[in-house]
Short mmCIF file of all heavy atoms in Angstrom, two decimals:
data_model
loop_
_atom_site.label_atom_id
_atom_site.label_comp_id
_atom_site.label_asym_id
_atom_site.label_seq_id
_atom_site.Cartn_x
_atom_site.Cartn_y
_atom_site.Cartn_z
N GLY A 88 11.27 -40.93 3.03
CA GLY A 88 11.16 -39.63 2.36
C GLY A 88 9.88 -38.94 2.80
O GLY A 88 9.23 -39.34 3.78
N LYS A 89 9.52 -37.89 2.08
CA LYS A 89 8.30 -37.14 2.37
C LYS A 89 7.23 -37.53 1.36
O LYS A 89 7.51 -37.76 0.18
CB LYS A 89 8.57 -35.63 2.30
CG LYS A 89 9.43 -35.09 3.42
CD LYS A 89 9.46 -33.57 3.37
CE LYS A 89 10.28 -33.02 4.54
NZ LYS A 89 9.63 -33.30 5.83
N SER A 90 5.99 -37.57 1.83
CA SER A 90 4.89 -37.85 0.90
C SER A 90 4.70 -36.63 -0.02
O SER A 90 5.06 -35.50 0.31
CB SER A 90 3.59 -38.14 1.65
OG SER A 90 3.08 -36.95 2.22
N LEU A 91 4.13 -36.91 -1.18
CA LEU A 91 3.84 -35.83 -2.10
C LEU A 91 2.84 -34.84 -1.49
O LEU A 91 2.86 -33.65 -1.80
CB LEU A 91 3.30 -36.40 -3.42
CG LEU A 91 3.25 -35.45 -4.62
CD1 LEU A 91 4.59 -34.77 -4.86
CD2 LEU A 91 2.82 -36.20 -5.86
N GLU A 92 1.99 -35.33 -0.61
CA GLU A 92 1.08 -34.45 0.10
C GLU A 92 1.85 -33.44 0.96
O GLU A 92 1.55 -32.24 0.92
CB GLU A 92 0.14 -35.27 0.99
CG GLU A 92 -0.86 -34.46 1.78
CD GLU A 92 -1.81 -35.31 2.60
OE1 GLU A 92 -2.45 -36.20 2.01
OE2 GLU A 92 -1.91 -35.09 3.82
N GLU A 93 2.85 -33.92 1.70
CA GLU A 93 3.67 -33.01 2.52
C GLU A 93 4.42 -32.02 1.63
O GLU A 93 4.58 -30.85 1.96
CB GLU A 93 4.66 -33.83 3.35
CG GLU A 93 4.03 -34.72 4.41
CD GLU A 93 5.05 -35.61 5.08
OE1 GLU A 93 5.59 -36.51 4.42
OE2 GLU A 93 5.32 -35.37 6.25
N TYR A 94 4.91 -32.52 0.50
CA TYR A 94 5.69 -31.72 -0.44
C TYR A 94 4.82 -30.56 -0.99
O TYR A 94 5.26 -29.41 -1.02
CB TYR A 94 6.18 -32.61 -1.58
CG TYR A 94 7.13 -31.96 -2.56
CD1 TYR A 94 8.43 -31.66 -2.19
CD2 TYR A 94 6.72 -31.69 -3.86
CE1 TYR A 94 9.33 -31.08 -3.09
CE2 TYR A 94 7.60 -31.12 -4.77
CZ TYR A 94 8.90 -30.83 -4.38
OH TYR A 94 9.76 -30.26 -5.28
N LEU A 95 3.58 -30.88 -1.37
CA LEU A 95 2.68 -29.85 -1.88
C LEU A 95 2.31 -28.85 -0.78
O LEU A 95 2.19 -27.64 -1.04
CB LEU A 95 1.43 -30.50 -2.45
CG LEU A 95 1.61 -31.19 -3.81
CD1 LEU A 95 0.40 -32.04 -4.13
CD2 LEU A 95 1.84 -30.16 -4.91
N ASN A 96 2.12 -29.35 0.44
CA ASN A 96 1.78 -28.46 1.54
C ASN A 96 2.86 -27.40 1.77
O ASN A 96 2.56 -26.27 2.15
CB ASN A 96 1.58 -29.27 2.83
CG ASN A 96 0.26 -30.02 2.85
OD1 ASN A 96 -0.63 -29.77 2.03
ND2 ASN A 96 0.14 -30.97 3.76
N ARG A 97 4.10 -27.79 1.54
CA ARG A 97 5.20 -26.82 1.75
C ARG A 97 5.10 -25.65 0.78
O ARG A 97 5.42 -24.51 1.15
CB ARG A 97 6.54 -27.53 1.60
CG ARG A 97 6.87 -28.43 2.80
CD ARG A 97 8.06 -29.33 2.53
NE ARG A 97 9.25 -28.56 2.24
CZ ARG A 97 10.41 -29.11 1.82
NH1 ARG A 97 10.49 -30.42 1.67
NH2 ARG A 97 11.46 -28.36 1.59
N PHE A 98 4.67 -25.90 -0.45
CA PHE A 98 4.47 -24.79 -1.39
C PHE A 98 3.41 -23.83 -0.86
O PHE A 98 3.55 -22.62 -0.97
CB PHE A 98 4.06 -25.32 -2.76
CG PHE A 98 5.17 -25.94 -3.55
CD1 PHE A 98 5.26 -27.31 -3.72
CD2 PHE A 98 6.14 -25.14 -4.14
CE1 PHE A 98 6.29 -27.89 -4.44
CE2 PHE A 98 7.19 -25.70 -4.88
CZ PHE A 98 7.26 -27.08 -5.03
N LEU A 99 2.35 -24.40 -0.32
CA LEU A 99 1.26 -23.57 0.19
C LEU A 99 1.68 -22.79 1.43
O LEU A 99 1.27 -21.65 1.64
CB LEU A 99 0.03 -24.44 0.48
CG LEU A 99 -0.58 -25.16 -0.73
CD1 LEU A 99 -1.75 -26.02 -0.29
CD2 LEU A 99 -1.00 -24.15 -1.79
N GLU A 100 2.51 -23.43 2.28
CA GLU A 100 3.02 -22.74 3.47
C GLU A 100 3.85 -21.53 3.07
O GLU A 100 3.86 -20.50 3.77
CB GLU A 100 3.86 -23.71 4.31
CG GLU A 100 3.03 -24.78 5.00
CD GLU A 100 3.89 -25.91 5.54
OE1 GLU A 100 5.14 -25.84 5.37
OE2 GLU A 100 3.32 -26.87 6.07
N LYS A 101 4.57 -21.63 1.93
CA LYS A 101 5.39 -20.52 1.44
C LYS A 101 4.59 -19.59 0.51
O LYS A 101 5.18 -18.67 -0.06
CB LYS A 101 6.61 -21.08 0.69
CG LYS A 101 7.56 -21.86 1.58
CD LYS A 101 8.80 -22.31 0.81
CE LYS A 101 8.47 -23.32 -0.26
NZ LYS A 101 9.69 -23.84 -0.96
N GLU A 102 3.30 -19.88 0.39
CA GLU A 102 2.41 -19.13 -0.50
C GLU A 102 2.94 -19.11 -1.93
O GLU A 102 2.82 -18.11 -2.66
CB GLU A 102 2.21 -17.71 0.04
CG GLU A 102 1.58 -17.67 1.42
CD GLU A 102 1.24 -16.26 1.90
OE1 GLU A 102 1.63 -15.30 1.21
OE2 GLU A 102 0.59 -16.14 2.95
N ASP A 103 3.47 -20.24 -2.34
CA ASP A 103 3.99 -20.40 -3.70
C ASP A 103 2.97 -21.18 -4.53
O ASP A 103 3.09 -22.38 -4.73
CB ASP A 103 5.34 -21.14 -3.65
CG ASP A 103 5.97 -21.29 -5.04
OD1 ASP A 103 5.35 -20.84 -6.03
OD2 ASP A 103 7.06 -21.89 -5.12
N GLN A 104 1.96 -20.46 -4.98
CA GLN A 104 0.90 -21.09 -5.76
C GLN A 104 1.42 -21.60 -7.10
O GLN A 104 1.00 -22.66 -7.58
CB GLN A 104 -0.24 -20.10 -6.01
CG GLN A 104 -0.97 -19.68 -4.74
CD GLN A 104 -2.21 -20.52 -4.49
OE1 GLN A 104 -2.79 -21.09 -5.40
NE2 GLN A 104 -2.65 -20.57 -3.24
N GLU A 105 2.35 -20.88 -7.70
CA GLU A 105 2.89 -21.29 -9.00
C GLU A 105 3.61 -22.64 -8.86
O GLU A 105 3.42 -23.55 -9.68
CB GLU A 105 3.84 -20.23 -9.53
CG GLU A 105 4.40 -20.57 -10.90
CD GLU A 105 5.31 -19.47 -11.45
OE1 GLU A 105 5.32 -18.36 -10.89
OE2 GLU A 105 6.01 -19.73 -12.44
N GLY A 106 4.45 -22.77 -7.84
CA GLY A 106 5.17 -24.03 -7.62
C GLY A 106 4.20 -25.16 -7.30
O GLY A 106 4.37 -26.29 -7.77
N PHE A 107 3.17 -24.85 -6.51
CA PHE A 107 2.16 -25.84 -6.17
C PHE A 107 1.49 -26.41 -7.41
O PHE A 107 1.42 -27.63 -7.62
CB PHE A 107 1.12 -25.22 -5.24
CG PHE A 107 -0.08 -26.09 -4.96
CD1 PHE A 107 -0.04 -27.02 -3.90
CD2 PHE A 107 -1.21 -26.02 -5.74
CE1 PHE A 107 -1.13 -27.86 -3.65
CE2 PHE A 107 -2.32 -26.84 -5.49
CZ PHE A 107 -2.27 -27.76 -4.45
N PHE A 108 1.00 -25.53 -8.26
CA PHE A 108 0.25 -26.00 -9.44
C PHE A 108 1.15 -26.62 -10.49
O PHE A 108 0.70 -27.44 -11.28
CB PHE A 108 -0.61 -24.88 -10.03
CG PHE A 108 -1.88 -24.66 -9.26
CD1 PHE A 108 -2.05 -23.54 -8.45
CD2 PHE A 108 -2.91 -25.60 -9.31
CE1 PHE A 108 -3.23 -23.36 -7.73
CE2 PHE A 108 -4.08 -25.41 -8.60
CZ PHE A 108 -4.24 -24.29 -7.81
N GLU A 109 2.42 -26.23 -10.50
CA GLU A 109 3.37 -26.88 -11.43
C GLU A 109 3.49 -28.37 -11.09
O GLU A 109 3.44 -29.23 -11.98
CB GLU A 109 4.73 -26.20 -11.35
CG GLU A 109 5.75 -26.81 -12.31
CD GLU A 109 7.10 -26.11 -12.21
OE1 GLU A 109 7.16 -24.97 -11.70
OE2 GLU A 109 8.10 -26.71 -12.65
N VAL A 110 3.64 -28.70 -9.79
CA VAL A 110 3.75 -30.10 -9.38
C VAL A 110 2.39 -30.80 -9.52
O VAL A 110 2.32 -31.92 -10.01
CB VAL A 110 4.26 -30.18 -7.92
CG1 VAL A 110 4.28 -31.64 -7.45
CG2 VAL A 110 5.65 -29.57 -7.80
N PHE A 111 1.34 -30.12 -9.10
CA PHE A 111 -0.01 -30.69 -9.19
C PHE A 111 -0.35 -31.06 -10.64
O PHE A 111 -0.81 -32.19 -10.93
CB PHE A 111 -1.02 -29.69 -8.65
CG PHE A 111 -2.43 -30.19 -8.60
CD1 PHE A 111 -2.93 -30.75 -7.44
CD2 PHE A 111 -3.24 -30.14 -9.72
CE1 PHE A 111 -4.24 -31.24 -7.38
CE2 PHE A 111 -4.54 -30.61 -9.68
CZ PHE A 111 -5.05 -31.16 -8.52
N ASP A 112 -0.12 -30.13 -11.56
CA ASP A 112 -0.44 -30.39 -12.96
C ASP A 112 0.43 -31.48 -13.55
O ASP A 112 -0.05 -32.29 -14.36
CB ASP A 112 -0.26 -29.10 -13.79
CG ASP A 112 -1.33 -28.05 -13.47
OD1 ASP A 112 -2.34 -28.41 -12.86
OD2 ASP A 112 -1.12 -26.87 -13.83
N ARG A 113 1.69 -31.53 -13.15
CA ARG A 113 2.55 -32.60 -13.67
C ARG A 113 2.05 -33.97 -13.21
O ARG A 113 2.05 -34.93 -13.97
CB ARG A 113 4.01 -32.39 -13.24
CG ARG A 113 4.90 -33.51 -13.77
CD ARG A 113 6.35 -33.27 -13.62
NE ARG A 113 7.09 -34.34 -14.30
CZ ARG A 113 8.42 -34.43 -14.29
NH1 ARG A 113 9.15 -33.54 -13.65
NH2 ARG A 113 9.02 -35.43 -14.91
N PHE A 114 1.62 -34.04 -11.96
CA PHE A 114 1.09 -35.30 -11.43
C PHE A 114 -0.11 -35.76 -12.26
O PHE A 114 -0.16 -36.91 -12.70
CB PHE A 114 0.68 -35.09 -9.97
CG PHE A 114 0.20 -36.32 -9.26
CD1 PHE A 114 1.08 -37.11 -8.55
CD2 PHE A 114 -1.13 -36.70 -9.32
CE1 PHE A 114 0.64 -38.25 -7.89
CE2 PHE A 114 -1.59 -37.83 -8.68
CZ PHE A 114 -0.70 -38.62 -7.96
N VAL A 115 -1.05 -34.86 -12.47
CA VAL A 115 -2.27 -35.24 -13.22
C VAL A 115 -1.91 -35.56 -14.67
O VAL A 115 -2.44 -36.54 -15.24
CB VAL A 115 -3.30 -34.09 -13.16
CG1 VAL A 115 -4.48 -34.38 -14.08
CG2 VAL A 115 -3.78 -33.92 -11.72
N ASN A 116 -1.01 -34.80 -15.28
CA ASN A 116 -0.63 -35.07 -16.67
C ASN A 116 0.09 -36.41 -16.80
O ASN A 116 -0.10 -37.12 -17.80
CB ASN A 116 0.25 -33.95 -17.20
CG ASN A 116 -0.52 -32.67 -17.45
OD1 ASN A 116 -1.72 -32.70 -17.67
ND2 ASN A 116 0.16 -31.52 -17.39
N GLU A 117 0.92 -36.76 -15.83
CA GLU A 117 1.61 -38.07 -15.86
C GLU A 117 0.58 -39.19 -15.83
O GLU A 117 0.69 -40.19 -16.56
CB GLU A 117 2.56 -38.21 -14.67
CG GLU A 117 3.82 -37.39 -14.75
CD GLU A 117 4.92 -38.09 -15.54
OE1 GLU A 117 4.68 -39.14 -16.16
OE2 GLU A 117 6.05 -37.56 -15.52
N ILE A 118 -0.46 -39.02 -15.02
CA ILE A 118 -1.52 -40.03 -14.95
C ILE A 118 -2.22 -40.16 -16.30
O ILE A 118 -2.40 -41.26 -16.84
CB ILE A 118 -2.55 -39.67 -13.85
CG1 ILE A 118 -1.93 -39.89 -12.46
CG2 ILE A 118 -3.82 -40.50 -13.99
CD1 ILE A 118 -2.80 -39.40 -11.33
N ARG A 119 -2.62 -39.03 -16.85
CA ARG A 119 -3.35 -39.05 -18.12
C ARG A 119 -2.49 -39.61 -19.26
O ARG A 119 -2.97 -40.31 -20.14
CB ARG A 119 -3.85 -37.65 -18.48
CG ARG A 119 -4.86 -37.09 -17.50
CD ARG A 119 -5.62 -35.92 -18.11
NE ARG A 119 -6.48 -35.26 -17.15
CZ ARG A 119 -7.66 -35.69 -16.77
NH1 ARG A 119 -8.13 -36.82 -17.25
NH2 ARG A 119 -8.39 -35.00 -15.90
N ASN A 120 -1.19 -39.28 -19.26
CA ASN A 120 -0.31 -39.74 -20.32
C ASN A 120 -0.02 -41.23 -20.24
O ASN A 120 0.23 -41.87 -21.27
CB ASN A 120 1.00 -38.94 -20.30
CG ASN A 120 0.82 -37.50 -20.71
OD1 ASN A 120 -0.13 -37.16 -21.40
ND2 ASN A 120 1.72 -36.64 -20.26
N ARG A 121 -0.02 -41.78 -19.05
CA ARG A 121 0.37 -43.18 -18.88
C ARG A 121 -0.80 -44.14 -18.96
O ARG A 121 -0.62 -45.32 -19.25
CB ARG A 121 1.10 -43.35 -17.54
CG ARG A 121 2.47 -42.70 -17.54
CD ARG A 121 3.41 -43.44 -18.47
NE ARG A 121 4.60 -42.65 -18.80
CZ ARG A 121 5.67 -43.15 -19.38
NH1 ARG A 121 5.73 -44.44 -19.67
NH2 ARG A 121 6.69 -42.38 -19.67
N TYR A 122 -1.99 -43.65 -18.69
CA TYR A 122 -3.15 -44.53 -18.78
C TYR A 122 -3.81 -44.39 -20.15
O TYR A 122 -3.57 -43.44 -20.88
CB TYR A 122 -4.13 -44.21 -17.66
CG TYR A 122 -3.77 -44.89 -16.35
CD1 TYR A 122 -3.39 -44.16 -15.24
CD2 TYR A 122 -3.76 -46.28 -16.25
CE1 TYR A 122 -3.05 -44.79 -14.04
CE2 TYR A 122 -3.41 -46.94 -15.08
CZ TYR A 122 -3.07 -46.16 -13.96
OH TYR A 122 -2.72 -46.81 -12.81
N ASP A 123 -4.62 -45.39 -20.48
CA ASP A 123 -5.25 -45.45 -21.79
C ASP A 123 -6.39 -44.43 -21.90
O ASP A 123 -6.81 -43.83 -20.90
CB ASP A 123 -5.82 -46.86 -22.05
CG ASP A 123 -4.75 -47.93 -21.92
OD1 ASP A 123 -3.61 -47.66 -22.35
OD2 ASP A 123 -5.04 -49.00 -21.37
N ALA A 124 -6.88 -44.23 -23.12
CA ALA A 124 -8.04 -43.37 -23.37
C ALA A 124 -9.05 -44.17 -24.20
O ALA A 124 -9.30 -43.89 -25.36
CB ALA A 124 -7.62 -42.10 -24.09
N LEU A 125 -9.59 -45.21 -23.55
CA LEU A 125 -10.51 -46.13 -24.22
C LEU A 125 -11.95 -45.82 -23.84
O LEU A 125 -12.21 -45.30 -22.76
CB LEU A 125 -10.16 -47.57 -23.83
CG LEU A 125 -8.74 -48.06 -24.13
CD1 LEU A 125 -8.51 -49.43 -23.51
CD2 LEU A 125 -8.51 -48.10 -25.64
N PRO A 126 -12.90 -46.16 -24.72
CA PRO A 126 -14.31 -45.98 -24.34
C PRO A 126 -14.69 -46.99 -23.27
O PRO A 126 -14.12 -48.09 -23.18
CB PRO A 126 -15.05 -46.25 -25.65
CG PRO A 126 -14.13 -47.10 -26.46
CD PRO A 126 -12.73 -46.65 -26.10
N PHE A 127 -15.65 -46.63 -22.45
CA PHE A 127 -16.09 -47.50 -21.37
C PHE A 127 -16.80 -48.74 -21.92
O PHE A 127 -17.61 -48.64 -22.84
CB PHE A 127 -17.01 -46.75 -20.42
CG PHE A 127 -17.55 -47.61 -19.29
CD1 PHE A 127 -16.69 -48.05 -18.29
CD2 PHE A 127 -18.89 -47.99 -19.26
CE1 PHE A 127 -17.18 -48.83 -17.25
CE2 PHE A 127 -19.38 -48.77 -18.23
CZ PHE A 127 -18.51 -49.19 -17.22
N GLU A 128 -16.47 -49.88 -21.36
CA GLU A 128 -17.18 -51.13 -21.65
C GLU A 128 -17.61 -51.73 -20.33
O GLU A 128 -16.78 -51.99 -19.45
CB GLU A 128 -16.27 -52.11 -22.39
CG GLU A 128 -15.86 -51.66 -23.78
CD GLU A 128 -14.92 -52.66 -24.45
OE1 GLU A 128 -14.72 -53.76 -23.88
OE2 GLU A 128 -14.38 -52.33 -25.52
N ASP A 129 -18.91 -51.91 -20.18
CA ASP A 129 -19.42 -52.46 -18.93
C ASP A 129 -18.96 -53.90 -18.75
O ASP A 129 -18.69 -54.61 -19.73
CB ASP A 129 -20.96 -52.42 -18.92
CG ASP A 129 -21.51 -52.22 -17.52
OD1 ASP A 129 -20.76 -52.47 -16.56
OD2 ASP A 129 -22.68 -51.84 -17.40
N SER A 130 -18.83 -54.32 -17.49
CA SER A 130 -18.38 -55.68 -17.21
C SER A 130 -18.89 -56.12 -15.86
O SER A 130 -19.22 -55.28 -15.00
CB SER A 130 -16.85 -55.78 -17.23
OG SER A 130 -16.29 -54.98 -16.18
N LYS A 131 -18.97 -57.42 -15.66
CA LYS A 131 -19.38 -57.95 -14.38
C LYS A 131 -18.40 -57.52 -13.28
O LYS A 131 -18.80 -57.17 -12.17
CB LYS A 131 -19.45 -59.47 -14.41
CG LYS A 131 -19.84 -60.11 -13.08
CD LYS A 131 -19.82 -61.59 -13.16
CE LYS A 131 -20.25 -62.23 -11.81
NZ LYS A 131 -19.36 -61.82 -10.70
N GLU A 132 -17.10 -57.49 -13.63
CA GLU A 132 -16.07 -57.13 -12.63
C GLU A 132 -16.28 -55.68 -12.19
O GLU A 132 -16.12 -55.37 -11.00
CB GLU A 132 -14.68 -57.30 -13.25
CG GLU A 132 -14.27 -58.74 -13.50
CD GLU A 132 -14.87 -59.31 -14.78
OE1 GLU A 132 -15.49 -58.54 -15.55
OE2 GLU A 132 -14.74 -60.53 -15.01
N PHE A 133 -16.60 -54.80 -13.15
CA PHE A 133 -16.86 -53.40 -12.78
C PHE A 133 -18.04 -53.30 -11.85
O PHE A 133 -17.99 -52.59 -10.83
CB PHE A 133 -17.10 -52.58 -14.04
CG PHE A 133 -17.39 -51.11 -13.76
CD1 PHE A 133 -16.36 -50.21 -13.67
CD2 PHE A 133 -18.68 -50.67 -13.58
CE1 PHE A 133 -16.61 -48.85 -13.41
CE2 PHE A 133 -18.96 -49.34 -13.30
CZ PHE A 133 -17.92 -48.42 -13.22
N ARG A 134 -19.10 -54.02 -12.15
CA ARG A 134 -20.32 -53.95 -11.34
C ARG A 134 -20.11 -54.57 -9.96
O ARG A 134 -20.73 -54.14 -8.98
CB ARG A 134 -21.49 -54.63 -12.07
CG ARG A 134 -21.92 -53.90 -13.33
CD ARG A 134 -22.38 -52.50 -13.00
NE ARG A 134 -22.45 -51.66 -14.21
CZ ARG A 134 -22.59 -50.34 -14.18
NH1 ARG A 134 -22.66 -49.71 -13.03
NH2 ARG A 134 -22.63 -49.65 -15.30
N ASP A 135 -19.25 -55.57 -9.87
CA ASP A 135 -18.98 -56.17 -8.56
C ASP A 135 -18.37 -55.15 -7.60
O ASP A 135 -18.60 -55.21 -6.37
CB ASP A 135 -17.99 -57.35 -8.71
CG ASP A 135 -18.65 -58.58 -9.30
OD1 ASP A 135 -19.90 -58.64 -9.33
OD2 ASP A 135 -17.92 -59.47 -9.77
N VAL A 136 -17.63 -54.20 -8.14
CA VAL A 136 -16.97 -53.18 -7.30
C VAL A 136 -17.81 -51.91 -7.22
O VAL A 136 -18.03 -51.37 -6.11
CB VAL A 136 -15.56 -52.83 -7.86
CG1 VAL A 136 -14.92 -51.70 -7.05
CG2 VAL A 136 -14.67 -54.07 -7.84
N PHE A 137 -18.31 -51.42 -8.35
CA PHE A 137 -18.95 -50.11 -8.41
C PHE A 137 -20.47 -50.17 -8.45
O PHE A 137 -21.13 -49.14 -8.54
CB PHE A 137 -18.41 -49.31 -9.59
CG PHE A 137 -16.95 -48.98 -9.47
CD1 PHE A 137 -15.97 -49.71 -10.10
CD2 PHE A 137 -16.55 -47.91 -8.67
CE1 PHE A 137 -14.63 -49.40 -9.98
CE2 PHE A 137 -15.21 -47.58 -8.53
CZ PHE A 137 -14.24 -48.34 -9.19
N LYS A 138 -20.99 -51.39 -8.40
CA LYS A 138 -22.45 -51.61 -8.33
C LYS A 138 -23.18 -50.90 -9.48
O LYS A 138 -22.86 -51.09 -10.62
CB LYS A 138 -22.98 -51.15 -6.96
CG LYS A 138 -22.22 -51.77 -5.78
CD LYS A 138 -22.21 -53.28 -5.83
CE LYS A 138 -21.41 -53.85 -4.66
NZ LYS A 138 -21.22 -55.32 -4.77
N ASP A 139 -24.16 -50.04 -9.15
CA ASP A 139 -25.02 -49.43 -10.15
C ASP A 139 -24.56 -48.05 -10.60
O ASP A 139 -25.36 -47.25 -11.11
CB ASP A 139 -26.47 -49.35 -9.63
CG ASP A 139 -27.05 -50.72 -9.38
OD1 ASP A 139 -26.72 -51.66 -10.11
OD2 ASP A 139 -27.85 -50.85 -8.42
N THR A 140 -23.30 -47.75 -10.40
CA THR A 140 -22.76 -46.44 -10.80
C THR A 140 -22.99 -46.22 -12.30
O THR A 140 -22.67 -47.06 -13.12
CB THR A 140 -21.26 -46.35 -10.49
OG1 THR A 140 -21.05 -46.57 -9.11
CG2 THR A 140 -20.70 -44.99 -10.88
N GLU A 141 -23.54 -45.06 -12.63
CA GLU A 141 -23.76 -44.72 -14.03
C GLU A 141 -22.51 -44.02 -14.58
O GLU A 141 -21.96 -43.12 -13.96
CB GLU A 141 -24.97 -43.80 -14.16
CG GLU A 141 -26.29 -44.47 -13.84
CD GLU A 141 -27.48 -43.57 -14.16
OE1 GLU A 141 -27.29 -42.58 -14.89
OE2 GLU A 141 -28.58 -43.88 -13.69
N ILE A 142 -22.09 -44.44 -15.77
CA ILE A 142 -20.90 -43.88 -16.40
C ILE A 142 -21.34 -43.04 -17.60
O ILE A 142 -21.90 -43.57 -18.56
CB ILE A 142 -19.93 -44.98 -16.86
CG1 ILE A 142 -19.55 -45.88 -15.69
CG2 ILE A 142 -18.69 -44.36 -17.50
CD1 ILE A 142 -18.85 -45.17 -14.55
N PRO A 143 -21.12 -41.72 -17.57
CA PRO A 143 -21.47 -40.87 -18.72
C PRO A 143 -20.69 -41.28 -19.96
O PRO A 143 -19.56 -41.79 -19.86
CB PRO A 143 -21.07 -39.46 -18.26
CG PRO A 143 -20.98 -39.55 -16.75
CD PRO A 143 -20.54 -40.95 -16.46
N SER A 144 -21.27 -41.08 -21.10
CA SER A 144 -20.57 -41.42 -22.35
C SER A 144 -19.43 -40.44 -22.60
O SER A 144 -19.46 -39.29 -22.14
CB SER A 144 -21.55 -41.39 -23.51
OG SER A 144 -22.10 -40.09 -23.66
N GLY A 145 -18.46 -40.88 -23.35
CA GLY A 145 -17.36 -40.01 -23.76
C GLY A 145 -16.18 -39.93 -22.82
O GLY A 145 -15.21 -39.23 -23.11
N LEU A 146 -16.23 -40.64 -21.68
CA LEU A 146 -15.10 -40.58 -20.73
C LEU A 146 -13.98 -41.50 -21.18
O LEU A 146 -14.21 -42.60 -21.67
CB LEU A 146 -15.57 -41.00 -19.34
CG LEU A 146 -16.53 -40.07 -18.60
CD1 LEU A 146 -16.86 -40.64 -17.23
CD2 LEU A 146 -15.94 -38.67 -18.47
N SER A 147 -12.74 -41.03 -20.99
CA SER A 147 -11.57 -41.86 -21.28
C SER A 147 -11.36 -42.86 -20.16
O SER A 147 -11.31 -42.47 -18.99
CB SER A 147 -10.32 -40.99 -21.44
OG SER A 147 -10.44 -40.13 -22.55
N CYS A 148 -11.23 -44.13 -20.51
CA CYS A 148 -11.12 -45.19 -19.49
C CYS A 148 -9.83 -46.00 -19.73
O CYS A 148 -9.26 -45.98 -20.81
CB CYS A 148 -12.32 -46.13 -19.58
SG CYS A 148 -13.90 -45.30 -19.32
N SER A 149 -9.42 -46.67 -18.68
CA SER A 149 -8.21 -47.47 -18.76
C SER A 149 -8.31 -48.69 -17.87
O SER A 149 -9.01 -48.68 -16.85
CB SER A 149 -6.99 -46.64 -18.35
OG SER A 149 -5.79 -47.39 -18.50
#
Side-chain angles (χ1 to χ4, degrees):
K89 290 188 178 294
S90 72
L91 194 51
E92 180 177 306
E93 295 173 291
Y94 187 72
L95 285 167
N96 285 346
R97 287 169 60 189
F98 285 106
L99 297 178
E100 289 166 1
K101 295 184 293 184
E102 299 185 353
D103 182 358
Q104 294 266 336
E105 183 178 347
F107 172 87
F108 280 107
E109 181 180 341
V110 176
F111 184 95
D112 290 345
R113 180 169 186 183
F114 184 93
V115 173
N116 289 335
E117 287 275 9
I118 288 173
R119 296 197 188 281
N120 291 337
R121 289 292 162 167
Y122 277 115
D123 304 322
L125 302 172
F127 178 69
E128 294 178 9
D129 212 342
S130 64
K131 178 183 181 301
E132 292 79 9
F133 179 89
R134 293 299 164 193
D135 286 344
V136 176
F137 294 99
K138 308 304 179 187
D139 296 327
T140 302
E141 292 187 15
I142 304 300
S144 61
L146 292 181
S147 296
C148 301
S149 183

